[in-house]
Amino acid sequence: MSTSSTQFVSYRALVGQVVARHRAMRGVTQQAIATALDMTQASLSRLESGQTAFSIEQLAVVAH
């Protein structure tokens, strides 16, 4: 029986990675998104890194 190393990614980390990737692909800065969310760039960084979770309301603003 072989064992495989499976790495689990939390929901909040996965969502943060997707937001960060799409933001970067569009050339939008963290500061611009943070301003739209009425938060600091550091707070957005924590969201994108999965340290904290996006709320539904925040995701709606980011998607817009």
Side-chain angles (χ1 to χ4, degrees), residues 18-38:
V18 170
V19 169
R21 182 174 42 242
H22 285 273
R23 176 187 56 72
M25 285 180 359
R26 287 167 175 72
V28 179
T29 65
Q30 279 188 337
Q31 185 59 56
I33 299 294
T35 299
L37 292 171
D38 194 29

Side-chain angles (χ1 to χ4, degrees), residues 36-53:
L37 292 171
D38 194 29
M39 66 174 51
T40 65
Q41 178 274 326
S43 294
L44 179 62
S45 179
R46 286 191 292 277
L47 288 166
E48 287 187 354
S49 68
Q51 294 174 15
T52 56

